[in-house]
Amino acid sequence: MNVLKTIAIGGPVGLAHAVREAWVARRIRRIAIYMDRERALHREHMAQLRAELDALRAQQISSTARATSFWKGLS
């Protein structure tokens, strides 16, 4: 009934406009979903990178501590 009402009120141009508006609304919804997925993937990737960075920092601190104790032992 909605299609018939659209044709009766706006004619074929009104129908074409309604179809285009529905298509645009669908694209907007799909893009929003894709953006949410990308955002979640980005957060997951950043968490992995932060974990790697923390591990490297811990390794650097450990290495520095060993080097410091080595040089203190020599003096």
Side-chain angles (χ1 to χ4, degrees), residues 2-75:
N2 209 6
V3 173
L4 294 176
K5 184 178 176 183
T6 302
I7 292 174
I9 292 173
V13 174
L15 178 62
H17 179 72
V19 168
R20 176 156 174 76
E21 288 295 316
W23 178 78
V24 168
R26 181 175 180 267
R27 290 290 300 155
I28 289 171
R29 283 192 308 272
R30 290 188 70 199
I31 289 171
I33 289 170
Y34 291 150
M35 286 176 62
D36 290 340
R37 289 179 186 168
E38 285 294 323
R39 191 175 297 116
L41 183 63
H42 173 73
R43 287 182 180 147
E44 180 181 327
H45 187 224
M46 289 304 295
Q48 290 174 349
L49 290 175
R50 282 190 196 101
E52 289 179 28
L53 184 61
D54 290 343
L56 287 172
R57 284 182 178 155
Q59 185 180 5
Q60 183 182 31
I61 290 170
S62 172
S63 175
T64 303
R66 282 194 315 259
T68 302
S69 67
F70 172 78
W71 288 109
K72 281 184 180 179
L74 289 179
S75 56

